[in-house]
PDB file of all heavy atoms in Angstrom:
ATOM      1  N   LEU A 198    -114.035 146.357   1.984  1.00  0.00           N
ATOM      2  CA  LEU A 198    -115.021 146.561   3.047  1.00  0.00           C
ATOM      3  C   LEU A 198    -114.814 147.878   3.785  1.00  0.00           C
ATOM      4  O   LEU A 198    -115.779 148.477   4.278  1.00  0.00           O
ATOM      5  CB  LEU A 198    -114.969 145.398   4.047  1.00  0.00           C
ATOM      6  CG  LEU A 198    -115.509 144.055   3.550  1.00  0.00           C
ATOM      7  CD1 LEU A 198    -115.324 142.979   4.620  1.00  0.00           C
ATOM      8  CD2 LEU A 198    -116.981 144.171   3.162  1.00  0.00           C
ATOM      9  N   ILE A 199    -113.579 148.338   3.856  1.00  0.00           N
ATOM     10  CA  ILE A 199    -113.298 149.617   4.527  1.00  0.00           C
ATOM     11  C   ILE A 199    -113.360 150.780   3.547  1.00  0.00           C
ATOM     12  O   ILE A 199    -113.957 151.825   3.833  1.00  0.00           O
ATOM     13  CB  ILE A 199    -111.919 149.577   5.223  1.00  0.00           C
ATOM     14  CG1 ILE A 199    -111.921 148.544   6.352  1.00  0.00           C
ATOM     15  CG2 ILE A 199    -111.567 150.961   5.784  1.00  0.00           C
ATOM     16  CD1 ILE A 199    -110.579 148.393   7.042  1.00  0.00           C
ATOM     17  N   ASN A 200    -112.764 150.606   2.370  1.00  0.00           N
ATOM     18  CA  ASN A 200    -112.619 151.731   1.451  1.00  0.00           C
ATOM     19  C   ASN A 200    -113.905 152.114   0.719  1.00  0.00           C
ATOM     20  O   ASN A 200    -114.125 153.303   0.450  1.00  0.00           O
ATOM     21  CB  ASN A 200    -111.513 151.432   0.423  1.00  0.00           C
ATOM     22  CG  ASN A 200    -110.137 151.801   0.935  1.00  0.00           C
ATOM     23  OD1 ASN A 200    -109.969 152.820   1.602  1.00  0.00           O
ATOM     24  ND2 ASN A 200    -109.160 150.975   0.654  1.00  0.00           N
ATOM     25  N   ILE A 201    -114.723 151.141   0.373  1.00  0.00           N
ATOM     26  CA  ILE A 201    -115.971 151.480  -0.330  1.00  0.00           C
ATOM     27  C   ILE A 201    -116.882 152.354   0.534  1.00  0.00           C
ATOM     28  O   ILE A 201    -117.355 153.411   0.078  1.00  0.00           O
ATOM     29  CB  ILE A 201    -116.703 150.211  -0.804  1.00  0.00           C
ATOM     30  CG1 ILE A 201    -115.863 149.481  -1.869  1.00  0.00           C
ATOM     31  CG2 ILE A 201    -118.076 150.555  -1.367  1.00  0.00           C
ATOM     32  CD1 ILE A 201    -115.610 150.267  -3.124  1.00  0.00           C
ATOM     33  N   PRO A 202    -117.151 151.983   1.811  1.00  0.00           N
ATOM     34  CA  PRO A 202    -117.938 152.886   2.663  1.00  0.00           C
ATOM     35  C   PRO A 202    -117.268 154.248   2.862  1.00  0.00           C
ATOM     36  O   PRO A 202    -117.949 155.274   2.912  1.00  0.00           O
ATOM     37  CB  PRO A 202    -118.030 152.126   3.988  1.00  0.00           C
ATOM     38  CG  PRO A 202    -117.859 150.700   3.625  1.00  0.00           C
ATOM     39  CD  PRO A 202    -116.884 150.700   2.483  1.00  0.00           C
ATOM     40  N   LEU A 203    -115.914 154.245   2.978  1.00  0.00           N
ATOM     41  CA  LEU A 203    -115.203 155.521   3.113  1.00  0.00           C
ATOM     42  C   LEU A 203    -115.392 156.386   1.877  1.00  0.00           C
ATOM     43  O   LEU A 203    -115.573 157.607   1.974  1.00  0.00           O
ATOM     44  CB  LEU A 203    -113.703 155.277   3.334  1.00  0.00           C
ATOM     45  CG  LEU A 203    -113.229 155.033   4.761  1.00  0.00           C
ATOM     46  CD1 LEU A 203    -111.737 154.723   4.774  1.00  0.00           C
ATOM     47  CD2 LEU A 203    -113.523 156.219   5.653  1.00  0.00           C
ATOM     48  N   PHE A 204    -115.355 155.755   0.712  1.00  0.00           N
ATOM     49  CA  PHE A 204    -115.535 156.485  -0.538  1.00  0.00           C
ATOM     50  C   PHE A 204    -116.944 157.092  -0.601  1.00  0.00           C
ATOM     51  O   PHE A 204    -117.108 158.270  -0.941  1.00  0.00           O
ATOM     52  CB  PHE A 204    -115.318 155.554  -1.729  1.00  0.00           C
ATOM     53  CG  PHE A 204    -115.547 156.217  -3.064  1.00  0.00           C
ATOM     54  CD1 PHE A 204    -114.570 157.004  -3.634  1.00  0.00           C
ATOM     55  CD2 PHE A 204    -116.759 156.068  -3.731  1.00  0.00           C
ATOM     56  CE1 PHE A 204    -114.782 157.630  -4.862  1.00  0.00           C
ATOM     57  CE2 PHE A 204    -116.976 156.679  -4.947  1.00  0.00           C
ATOM     58  CZ  PHE A 204    -115.983 157.464  -5.518  1.00  0.00           C
ATOM     59  N   ILE A 205    -117.943 156.302  -0.251  1.00  0.00           N
ATOM     60  CA  ILE A 205    -119.336 156.792  -0.255  1.00  0.00           C
ATOM     61  C   ILE A 205    -119.486 157.927   0.755  1.00  0.00           C
ATOM     62  O   ILE A 205    -120.089 158.970   0.469  1.00  0.00           O
ATOM     63  CB  ILE A 205    -120.313 155.649   0.057  1.00  0.00           C
ATOM     64  CG1 ILE A 205    -120.272 154.598  -1.055  1.00  0.00           C
ATOM     65  CG2 ILE A 205    -121.736 156.188   0.218  1.00  0.00           C
ATOM     66  CD1 ILE A 205    -121.043 153.342  -0.744  1.00  0.00           C
ATOM     67  N   GLY A 206    -118.910 157.732   1.949  1.00  0.00           N
ATOM     68  CA  GLY A 206    -118.961 158.787   2.964  1.00  0.00           C
ATOM     69  C   GLY A 206    -118.246 160.040   2.512  1.00  0.00           C
ATOM     70  O   GLY A 206    -118.711 161.160   2.766  1.00  0.00           O
ATOM     71  N   GLY A 207    -117.123 159.869   1.814  1.00  0.00           N
ATOM     72  CA  GLY A 207    -116.392 161.022   1.306  1.00  0.00           C
ATOM     73  C   GLY A 207    -117.188 161.809   0.292  1.00  0.00           C
ATOM     74  O   GLY A 207    -117.187 163.049   0.300  1.00  0.00           O
ATOM     75  N   VAL A 208    -117.899 161.112  -0.589  1.00  0.00           N
ATOM     76  CA  VAL A 208    -118.737 161.774  -1.585  1.00  0.00           C
ATOM     77  C   VAL A 208    -119.876 162.532  -0.907  1.00  0.00           C
ATOM     78  O   VAL A 208    -120.192 163.677  -1.266  1.00  0.00           O
ATOM     79  CB  VAL A 208    -119.301 160.752  -2.598  1.00  0.00           C
ATOM     80  CG1 VAL A 208    -120.345 161.401  -3.497  1.00  0.00           C
ATOM     81  CG2 VAL A 208    -118.179 160.166  -3.445  1.00  0.00           C
ATOM     82  N   LEU A 209    -120.490 161.906   0.107  1.00  0.00           N
ATOM     83  CA  LEU A 209    -121.626 162.526   0.800  1.00  0.00           C
ATOM     84  C   LEU A 209    -121.192 163.725   1.647  1.00  0.00           C
ATOM     85  O   LEU A 209    -121.876 164.746   1.695  1.00  0.00           O
ATOM     86  CB  LEU A 209    -122.329 161.497   1.681  1.00  0.00           C
ATOM     87  CG  LEU A 209    -123.039 160.352   0.955  1.00  0.00           C
ATOM     88  CD1 LEU A 209    -123.593 159.342   1.958  1.00  0.00           C
ATOM     89  CD2 LEU A 209    -124.170 160.889   0.076  1.00  0.00           C
ATOM     90  N   VAL A 210    -120.055 163.585   2.319  1.00  0.00           N
ATOM     91  CA  VAL A 210    -119.610 164.621   3.249  1.00  0.00           C
ATOM     92  C   VAL A 210    -118.787 165.705   2.560  1.00  0.00           C
ATOM     93  O   VAL A 210    -118.950 166.894   2.810  1.00  0.00           O
ATOM     94  CB  VAL A 210    -118.793 163.995   4.407  1.00  0.00           C
ATOM     95  CG1 VAL A 210    -118.228 165.088   5.317  1.00  0.00           C
ATOM     96  CG2 VAL A 210    -119.658 163.044   5.213  1.00  0.00           C
ATOM     97  N   LEU A 211    -117.892 165.282   1.653  1.00  0.00           N
ATOM     98  CA  LEU A 211    -116.925 166.211   1.072  1.00  0.00           C
ATOM     99  C   LEU A 211    -117.217 166.586  -0.376  1.00  0.00           C
ATOM    100  O   LEU A 211    -116.526 167.408  -0.955  1.00  0.00           O
ATOM    101  CB  LEU A 211    -115.519 165.610   1.164  1.00  0.00           C
ATOM    102  CG  LEU A 211    -115.058 165.215   2.577  1.00  0.00           C
ATOM    103  CD1 LEU A 211    -113.771 164.417   2.496  1.00  0.00           C
ATOM    104  CD2 LEU A 211    -114.884 166.432   3.447  1.00  0.00           C
ATOM    105  N   GLY A 212    -118.207 165.939  -0.979  1.00  0.00           N
ATOM    106  CA  GLY A 212    -118.531 166.230  -2.369  1.00  0.00           C
ATOM    107  C   GLY A 212    -117.928 165.213  -3.315  1.00  0.00           C
ATOM    108  O   GLY A 212    -117.295 164.242  -2.905  1.00  0.00           O
ATOM    109  N   LYS A 213    -118.098 165.435  -4.604  1.00  0.00           N
ATOM    110  CA  LYS A 213    -117.703 164.467  -5.623  1.00  0.00           C
ATOM    111  C   LYS A 213    -116.303 164.712  -6.182  1.00  0.00           C
ATOM    112  O   LYS A 213    -115.979 164.290  -7.281  1.00  0.00           O
ATOM    113  CB  LYS A 213    -118.710 164.495  -6.783  1.00  0.00           C
ATOM    114  CG  LYS A 213    -120.131 164.138  -6.351  1.00  0.00           C
ATOM    115  CD  LYS A 213    -121.086 164.215  -7.530  1.00  0.00           C
ATOM    116  CE  LYS A 213    -122.508 163.873  -7.103  1.00  0.00           C
ATOM    117  NZ  LYS A 213    -123.467 163.956  -8.223  1.00  0.00           N
ATOM    118  N   SER A 214    -115.476 165.392  -5.397  1.00  0.00           N
ATOM    119  CA  SER A 214    -114.153 165.759  -5.908  1.00  0.00           C
ATOM    120  C   SER A 214    -113.207 164.559  -6.042  1.00  0.00           C
ATOM    121  O   SER A 214    -112.183 164.642  -6.708  1.00  0.00           O
ATOM    122  CB  SER A 214    -113.507 166.800  -4.981  1.00  0.00           C
ATOM    123  OG  SER A 214    -113.400 166.288  -3.665  1.00  0.00           O
ATOM    124  N   PHE A 215    -113.536 163.454  -5.387  1.00  0.00           N
ATOM    125  CA  PHE A 215    -112.640 162.297  -5.438  1.00  0.00           C
ATOM    126  C   PHE A 215    -112.708 161.601  -6.787  1.00  0.00           C
ATOM    127  O   PHE A 215    -111.723 161.085  -7.274  1.00  0.00           O
ATOM    128  CB  PHE A 215    -112.990 161.323  -4.305  1.00  0.00           C
ATOM    129  CG  PHE A 215    -112.948 161.985  -2.965  1.00  0.00           C
ATOM    130  CD1 PHE A 215    -114.110 162.388  -2.344  1.00  0.00           C
ATOM    131  CD2 PHE A 215    -111.741 162.241  -2.352  1.00  0.00           C
ATOM    132  CE1 PHE A 215    -114.068 163.022  -1.124  1.00  0.00           C
ATOM    133  CE2 PHE A 215    -111.692 162.874  -1.122  1.00  0.00           C
ATOM    134  CZ  PHE A 215    -112.860 163.271  -0.510  1.00  0.00           C
ATOM    135  N   GLY A 216    -113.920 161.586  -7.393  1.00  0.00           N
ATOM    136  CA  GLY A 216    -114.066 161.110  -8.749  1.00  0.00           C
ATOM    137  C   GLY A 216    -113.837 159.625  -8.934  1.00  0.00           C
ATOM    138  O   GLY A 216    -113.664 158.846  -7.989  1.00  0.00           O
ATOM    139  N   ALA A 217    -113.836 159.263 -10.208  1.00  0.00           N
ATOM    140  CA  ALA A 217    -113.758 157.854 -10.588  1.00  0.00           C
ATOM    141  C   ALA A 217    -112.376 157.259 -10.338  1.00  0.00           C
ATOM    142  O   ALA A 217    -112.258 156.052 -10.137  1.00  0.00           O
ATOM    143  CB  ALA A 217    -114.124 157.720 -12.068  1.00  0.00           C
ATOM    144  N   LYS A 218    -111.335 158.088 -10.346  1.00  0.00           N
ATOM    145  CA  LYS A 218    -109.980 157.555 -10.197  1.00  0.00           C
ATOM    146  C   LYS A 218    -109.768 156.882  -8.842  1.00  0.00           C
ATOM    147  O   LYS A 218    -109.095 155.846  -8.744  1.00  0.00           O
ATOM    148  CB  LYS A 218    -108.949 158.665 -10.400  1.00  0.00           C
ATOM    149  CG  LYS A 218    -108.852 159.159 -11.838  1.00  0.00           C
ATOM    150  CD  LYS A 218    -107.825 160.264 -11.969  1.00  0.00           C
ATOM    151  CE  LYS A 218    -107.742 160.769 -13.406  1.00  0.00           C
ATOM    152  NZ  LYS A 218    -106.778 161.879 -13.542  1.00  0.00           N
ATOM    153  N   THR A 219    -110.325 157.464  -7.793  1.00  0.00           N
ATOM    154  CA  THR A 219    -110.188 156.873  -6.468  1.00  0.00           C
ATOM    155  C   THR A 219    -110.912 155.538  -6.390  1.00  0.00           C
ATOM    156  O   THR A 219    -110.381 154.556  -5.859  1.00  0.00           O
ATOM    157  CB  THR A 219    -110.734 157.835  -5.390  1.00  0.00           C
ATOM    158  OG1 THR A 219    -109.904 158.993  -5.339  1.00  0.00           O
ATOM    159  CG2 THR A 219    -110.755 157.167  -4.023  1.00  0.00           C
TER     160      THR A 219
END
Side-chain angles (χ1 to χ4, degrees):
L198 289 177
I199 295 177
N200 274 321
I201 295 298
L203 274 176
F204 177 81
I205 295 171
V208 171
L209 293 175
V210 175
L211 304 170
K213 300 179 181 179
S214 58
F215 304 101
K218 290 179 181 178
T219 294

